[in-house]
Amino acid sequence: MNNTLEQTANSVSTTSSQPNWSAIADEFCAAWTSENGQPDFETLANFYAHDADVAIYDTLPPLEGFAGFNDLRSKIYDGLERIATKRTGEVRLKILADGQVVTAAYPIHHSYRFSDGRSYEIDARITQVWEKRDNGYRIVQEHPSTVY
């Protein structure tokens, strides 16, 4: 884990005030970005709750999404050569349950390239539900919506 993410992760888990959600969104996007065909799953594991009922949807199939981080990690993007994800606008927050739950929504751009020649450029909005746990805020629901 790089120093920036360690600092971000520490601020998420140790501060009583809200963390810097823009920095967290940028670190999240950076972890999805890769030139070698696989996102940085080790870093991404720090963002998601590891409960089996965590719902993770994506801009590409499968439409039913993934049932938890381990399901996502084992099934995502066969033949992926490159992925780039970047936040393209402000992070909008809704703080609920006295700060125990936070929704974060922001626009993103995805760029995908696959070994069979397919490529996609997708503008989307992502909404994440973060729940405060003993080890900090973790994603318990994630859903992107494509922008056409």
Side-chain angles (χ1 to χ4, degrees), residues 105-144:
Y106 49 96
I108 54 176
H109 180 80
H110 294 296
S111 178
Y112 303 95
R113 184 180 65 233
F114 290 86
S115 58
D116 63 4
R118 291 176 298 143
S119 63
Y120 302 96
E121 300 290 328
I122 299 173
D123 290 308
R125 292 177 294 260
I126 189 165
T127 301
Q128 298 165 323
V129 178
W130 296 76
E131 183 178 82
K132 193 171 191 177
R133 304 279 179 99
D134 289 341
N135 58 349
Y137 286 95
R138 298 295 181 258
I139 297 168
V140 296
Q141 170 83 24
E142 178 178 273
H143 185 92

